[in-house]
Amino acid sequence: MALAICLFFLLLSSSCEAYKALVVFGMPATSHSNLGRGVVRNLLKDGHEVTFITPIPIKDPPPNLHQIDVSSNFELLPLDLMKIERFLGPNSMPALPRFFVKMMMMNLVSKTMEHENVQKLLNDTIAHFDVVIVEWMFTSLSAGYATIFDCPLIWLIPVEVNSMTIGLVDAVPHPAYSTDPLSSYLPPFSFLERATEIWTRLQESVLGFLYYESKDAANYERIVVPQVQKRGRQAPPLSEVQYNASLVLGNSHVSMGLPLSLPQNYKPVGGYHIEEEVKPLPEDLEKIMMNSKNGVIYFSMGSNLKSKDWPEEIKRDLLKLFGELKQTVLWKFEEELPNVPKNVHILKWAPQPSILAHPKCVLFITHGGLLSTTETIHFGVPTIAIPVFGDQFINVKKSVARGFTLQVDLSYKLAADLKVAIEEMLSNPKYRQRVKELSYIYHDRPVKPGAELRHWVQHVVNTRGASHLRSPALQVPLYQRLYLDLVAFLSVAFIVLYMLIKKLYSRVRSKKIVNNKKRN
Ligand SMILES: *[C@@H]1O[C@H](CO)[C@@H](O)[C@H](O)[C@H]1NC(C)=O
Ligand SMILES: *[C@@H]1O[C@H](CO)[C@@H](O)[C@H](O)[C@H]1NC(C)=O
């Protein structure tokens, strides 16, 4: 009892203490960087000391934020793959094959760890962290950061809840009703979809076994093991490290995705990256929005599709379409355009949350990335979505199924298709009603997502790894889960029993025959 009280006070006192966190977001993309900044902002709010590995460092960082610049990561992605022409016309490219995505991410994660600036940190054997928060990018090598610094690991999942991410801390959910992160199906599946889903899972397991795992393990041996040894410890194998996360923070919420059952240490905190206080708009923009008589349409295709690559004819058609609308159009585009109609305003930089939060904003035309989808539900604005790559297709499919989005395909007749969709959107109130309902579900949580994130990170630090939250499924190998051992046991028992009975029977029979003979 006395011990329990001591422990209680120890925990209580340490809950007020500042901890040191290492936050790793190496993916060179604005959206991923925004997720990283959301984590950092929340931890700094509680006065903790944060080291942030990022390709897009924050300008004028506060004194308790140390940044490790990995901006050279931009050279690691084949950015010409993102050119809009690849997604247009007869030669348009289908989604990247998953093997390619996986290889690209494995390369990115190992190169980030081997980056000179990161190596400086890893070489510093005195550096100490209480927790490591890493963005999960399809590979488990980055679990090694926690192994090096001998502290609890928290994964931050940039995408919706899916079979792979649940599989990090629990048994993989059933393929008949769950998807993997690159899947383009939504349950309930048709027969063919269900078959495809399990076929993909099998392929992934076989590829993982034959290829990915050994590649990850080799990287682990090269990059992580020597650092652990330098600190005088024995490095556990990657196969143990990769399923040893204390917590998973998911950038997801049931208002946006599937309500799959989650293990105790999987916390969906979707929306944490949005600042609780909406920043006021710049004066000129506020004026434009206030003066619009018929509302404002906001058009942004994110930061990956570069404006300069858009074909001239599409730009011209879009300007013409927007010019004919009664609404004011804010178009986020990094390029000056000639002959811009009076009701259209080109913004090189757009404060997206503040625009979506404005009561005059009636429609958001988006690529359907997860962050934009989150923001549009947060602020309750219906969307027309033009998915281009990655998880955008599945996000948009979900949004359409939820009834607040119309999908338009990227093509040379984009403007004509958009026109039809805009007319439907603005004349039918059901989309707006639906997004308001989802927005209510999104906001109706016991605590705000940022506060929830801070709470669970603190909980992991205070309990040094929150081992009480770990799923027991992690200790049960697949053959036991499938009861193969029981099947084997019963088979052997059955065979033995069968043989015994057979033997007994033949004995009885031979005895009978002997007896009969004697009688004769
Ligand atoms: C880190 O340490 C290794 C040897 O342990 C050395 O080869 C490497 O140059 C060091 N890197 C940096 C950036 O200090
Ligand atoms: C697993 O995590 C716990 C808590 O952080 C840690 O104490 C333990 O050493 C880790 N084990 C492995 C094999 O990484």
Side-chain angles (χ1 to χ4, degrees):
M1 189 60 201
L3 189 72
I5 291 174
C6 270
L7 205 65
F8 178 75
F9 279 107
L10 196 73
L11 291 182
L12 205 67
S13 65
S14 64
S15 77
C16 319
E17 248 167 49
Y19 56 75
K20 283 183 160 190
L22 173 64
V23 180
V24 186
F25 279 72
M27 177 72 177
T30 314
S31 53
H32 292 266
S33 166
N34 282 345
L35 286 177
R37 288 176 179 206
V39 172
V40 168
R41 196 186 58 237
N42 272 295
L43 300 190
L44 291 179
K45 197 184 251 180
D46 282 351
H48 304 299
E49 203 175 312
V50 180
T51 301
F52 185 28
I53 298 182
T54 172
I56 312 176
I58 300 169
K59 288 199 191 86
D60 308 319
N64 49 345
L65 172 62
H66 316 284
Q67 301 192 88
I68 295 180
D69 183 336
V70 291
S71 49
S72 59
N73 275 5
F74 277 102
E75 293 153 25
L76 296 176
L77 289 193
L79 288 179
D80 51 328
L81 276 184
M82 308 280 194
K83 280 206 177 137
I84 188 166
E85 273 148 26
R86 296 211 151 239
F87 306 100
L88 279 166
N91 299 323
S92 75
M93 192 183 57
L96 292 176
R98 42 182 71 226
F99 181 73
F100 186 83
V101 172
K102 181 111 186 178
M103 293 305 294
M104 207 159 72
M105 293 309 146
M106 283 167 81
N107 183 46
L108 182 82
V109 167
S110 63
K111 287 279 161 55
T112 304
M113 279 187 131
E114 288 180 301
H115 193 288
E116 197 192 335
N117 296 342
V118 177
Q119 280 292 314
K120 261 185 223 150
L121 173 73
L122 301 186
N123 273 356
D124 176 3
T125 50
I126 303 177
H128 153 85
F129 294 103
D130 299 297
V131 63
V132 169
I133 305 176
V134 192
E135 182 181 32
W136 177 82
M137 290 308 289
F138 292 86
T139 158
S140 47
L141 175 64
S142 36
Y145 287 105
T147 312
I148 293 173
F149 293 111
D150 197 18
C151 68
L153 167 71
I154 298 179
W155 291 118
L156 192 130
I157 309 293
V159 291
E160 265 297 337
V161 178
N162 62 71
S163 60
M164 268 194 208
T165 59
I166 291 181
L168 293 168
V169 284
D170 199 6
V172 178
H174 204 290
Y177 55 77
S178 66
T179 56
D180 96 341
L182 298 171
S183 170
S184 50
Y185 305 132
L186 263 188
F189 298 141
S190 68
F191 173 75
L192 201 66
E193 288 171 344
R194 203 153 40 89
T196 314
E197 196 60 39
I198 191 146
W199 172 235
T200 322
R201 297 255 187 115
L202 283 175
Q203 266 177 313
E204 285 291 305
S205 315
V206 171
L207 264 179
F209 182 70
L210 292 179
Y211 187 71
Y212 303 142
E213 278 168 26
S214 53
K215 200 167 157 76
D216 265 341
N219 282 332
Y220 181 80
E221 287 297 319
R222 193 178 73 251
I223 306 169
V224 177
V225 171
Q227 294 291 0
V228 179
Q229 285 166 347
K230 220 192 263 175
R231 288 161 171 83
R233 280 181 283 122
Q234 211 51 22
L238 180 61
S239 56
E240 276 176 37
V241 168
Q242 64 178 328
Y243 297 113
N244 193 42
S246 298
L247 190 74
V248 172
L249 294 168
N251 177 35
S252 52
H253 186 253
V254 281
S255 54
M256 298 173 273
L258 289 177
L260 285 177
S261 11
L262 296 178
Q264 296 282 342
N265 55 355
Y266 198 124
K267 306 294 176 188
V269 290
Y272 75 87
H273 75 282
I274 303 172
E275 291 194 44
E276 281 166 22
E277 303 271 316
V278 178
K279 289 209 182 89
L281 283 168
E283 222 167 282
D284 50 339
L285 208 50
E286 173 68 30
K287 222 173 182 173
I288 294 172
M289 290 196 80
M290 279 320 284
N291 290 342
S292 68
K293 291 209 179 63
N294 297 295
V296 173
I297 297 174
Y298 170 54
F299 178 31
S300 166
M301 291 294 282
S303 43
N304 286 329
L305 285 184
K306 293 284 168 261
S307 307
K308 64 176 170 34
D309 300 327
W310 284 62
E312 287 304 322
E313 53 186 299
I314 294 188
K315 290 192 255 190
R316 194 191 55 216
D317 291 352
L318 283 175
L319 272 187
K320 182 158 169 290
L321 162 70
F322 293 152
E324 287 163 1
L325 296 172
K326 286 189 299 199
Q327 286 74 20
T328 301
V329 177
L330 300 178
W331 184 356
K332 191 202 155 243
F333 209 64
E334 304 102 62
E335 190 186 68
E336 299 283 352
L337 291 175
N339 310 323
V340 176
K342 268 226 302 278
N343 66 327
V344 179
H345 302 268
I346 307 287
L347 309 175
K348 289 216 170 94
W349 169 84
Q352 180 158 308
S354 311
I355 294 175
L356 294 176
H358 200 281
K360 288 274 186 176
C361 185
V362 293
L363 173 61
F364 178 20
I365 305 176
T366 168
H367 56 355
L370 190 57
L371 295 202
S372 290
T373 307
T374 312
E375 286 162 22
T376 214
I377 291 180
H378 184 109
F379 295 111
V381 181
T383 66
I384 293 174
I386 313 167
V388 184
F389 49 70
D391 63 344
Q392 293 164 3
F393 291 95
I394 185 71
N395 296 338
V396 171
K397 203 166 178 178
K398 279 182 199 150
S399 307
V400 172
R402 296 192 154 215
F404 70 93
T405 295
L406 287 175
Q407 177 171 350
V408 169
D409 293 328
L410 185 63
S411 75
Y412 281 100
K413 55 186 201 37
L414 178 65
D417 295 344
L418 256 185
K419 187 175 169 158
V420 179
I422 292 176
E423 274 164 13
E424 163 68 10
M425 259 295 161
L426 296 180
S427 61
N428 195 334
K430 71 174 182 189
Y431 303 101
R432 193 165 190 83
Q433 265 160 23
R434 187 63 190 131
V435 78
K436 294 288 179 205
E437 282 164 24
L438 288 171
S439 190
Y440 170 78
I441 297 169
Y442 168 97
H443 286 288
D444 195 27
R445 316 185 206 189
V447 279
K448 294 210 163 85
E452 185 164 7
L453 179 146
R454 299 198 297 275
H455 169 84
W456 286 112
V457 176
Q458 183 83 59
H459 184 77
V460 165
V461 172
N462 289 357
T463 61
R464 288 189 201 82
S467 55
H468 51 282
L469 295 178
R470 285 170 70 78
S471 164
L474 287 172
Q475 279 150 352
V476 183
L478 188 64
Y479 78 88
Q480 288 185 13
R481 237 178 271 159
L482 298 177
Y483 278 94
L484 295 185
D485 48 351
L486 180 64
V487 171
F489 174 78
L490 289 180
S491 311
V492 170
F494 182 77
I495 292 170
V496 169
L497 204 69
Y498 175 76
M499 286 189 346
L500 270 178
I501 291 175
K502 211 171 143 188
K503 208 156 196 173
L504 222 67
Y505 181 71
S506 62
R507 272 235 185 123
V508 171
R509 241 174 87 131
S510 56
K511 248 190 196 158
K512 255 190 194 162
I513 292 168
V514 172
N515 285 350
N516 284 352
K517 272 185 185 159
K518 271 187 191 160
R519 232 178 274 154
N520 290 346

